[in-house]
Amino acid sequence: MKLYIVRHGETEWNKVRKIQGQVDIPLNEFGRTLAKKTAKGLADIKFDLCYTSPLVRARETAELILAGGTTQIIEDARIEEMAFGEYEGRCCSKKGWELPDEFRRFFDGPDRYQAPEGGEDFAQVKKRTGEFLNELCKKAEYQNSNILIATHGAALAGMLNNIKGRPLTEYWGDGVHKNCAVTEVEVIDGIPKIISENVVYYDDEVEPWEE
């Protein structure tokens, strides 16, 4: 089994560094362009199945990558973005910061991050993405399949944290993946192994999420 896990394309909220969480923000035109370029980069892969977050920015990214094909797309809420509750819609850029100081733990202390009202902590996201991944990797009918997974920055990091077997303190690994970046995972006997990580198929400049 091969998994190709992709973060969604850019949205207008990404551009201005607003926290999206589970607010259903669509791709912008640049985001659609990134997805189309990613489709060209993955054109030689025949996808047998696709799982996507129910949020439109992930679903549309998947649809653009799979455009022209007949690949089945299945929505799964376990790979939806992390919920940020009352913080959703607020700016988290260094220049336009609209959050309590303790939110900085989101970046530099995920194990100590306190979820706001209506939000999730990292342990919760790791648990649900891990359950999704474990269930998928054990499906006998998919063992020879190429599967596209369209998801989000924090949810994707949760999946990779599970695969690597790392603690919450290392949740982010090398940082938030770029929009439409692809991570390839090979699954043998139900065990996932990362083959390549955070690979992009475009030359466009995309600013780091944390800036």
Side-chain angles (χ1 to χ4, degrees):
M1 186 192 301
K2 285 281 188 73
L3 309 178
Y4 295 83
I5 310 174
V6 59
R7 185 184 171 212
H8 62 79
E10 186 184 82
T11 70
E12 285 303 305
W13 278 27
N14 283 150
K15 277 183 70 175
V16 297
R17 299 298 181 263
K18 280 188 178 182
I19 295 176
Q20 292 178 114
Q22 296 183 356
V23 181
D24 210 4
I25 306 299
L27 298 179
N28 60 20
E29 282 307 311
F30 182 56
R32 295 185 183 100
T33 296
L34 296 182
K36 290 173 184 176
K37 289 182 177 181
T38 303
K40 290 181 180 179
L42 299 175
D44 291 339
I45 299 165
K46 180 187 180 300
F47 288 108
D48 301 291
L49 186 68
C50 172
Y51 280 95
T52 180
S53 153
L55 296 173
V56 66
R57 58 189 183 272
R59 172 94 192 197
E60 188 178 5
T61 299
E63 290 172 345
L64 289 168
I65 291 174
L66 298 170
T70 58
T71 305
Q72 181 185 11
I73 299 176
I74 301 171
E75 293 185 358
D76 196 310
R78 291 174 296 180
I79 56 172
E80 193 170 359
E81 184 55 307
M82 187 175 190
F84 292 95
E86 61 187 3
Y87 291 166
E88 293 180 349
R90 298 191 193 181
C91 182
C92 63
S93 71
K94 292 176 181 176
K95 294 180 180 178
W97 189 263
E98 296 177 338
L99 295 151
D101 279 345
E102 55 263 28
F103 185 79
R104 299 183 195 280
R105 291 176 186 163
F106 177 78
F107 303 108
D108 57 26
D111 58 315
R112 295 177 288 114
Y113 173 76
Q114 297 292 316
E117 183 70 29
E120 295 176 287
D121 61 27
F122 285 94
Q124 290 172 301
V125 180
K126 181 174 181 175
K127 181 176 184 291
R128 62 173 166 85
T129 57
E131 288 172 351
F132 164 81
L133 193 66
N134 289 336
E135 180 182 303
L136 177 59
C137 290
K138 290 176 182 176
K139 284 185 178 289
E141 64 268 36
Y142 296 159
Q143 290 309 307
N144 295 310
S145 301
N146 291 321
I147 302 174
L148 179 68
I149 300 174
T151 184
H152 309 261
L156 193 158
M159 277 189 271
L160 300 188
N161 190 254
N162 275 290
I163 292 172
K164 295 173 183 177
R166 305 307 299 166
L168 282 183
T169 52
E170 298 175 32
Y171 188 94
W172 289 113
D174 294 327
V176 181
H177 283 200
K178 295 178 181 178
N179 291 111
C180 282
V182 180
T183 293
E184 182 180 349
V185 176
E186 184 176 49
V187 182
I188 299 176
D189 295 329
I191 307 299
K193 179 183 177 182
I194 297 169
I195 303 301
S196 60
E197 184 176 343
N198 200 20
V199 175
V200 296
Y201 294 94
Y202 54 82
D203 296 324
D204 307 80
E205 285 293 324
V206 179
E207 293 182 11
W209 193 85
E210 299 93 330
E211 293 302 312

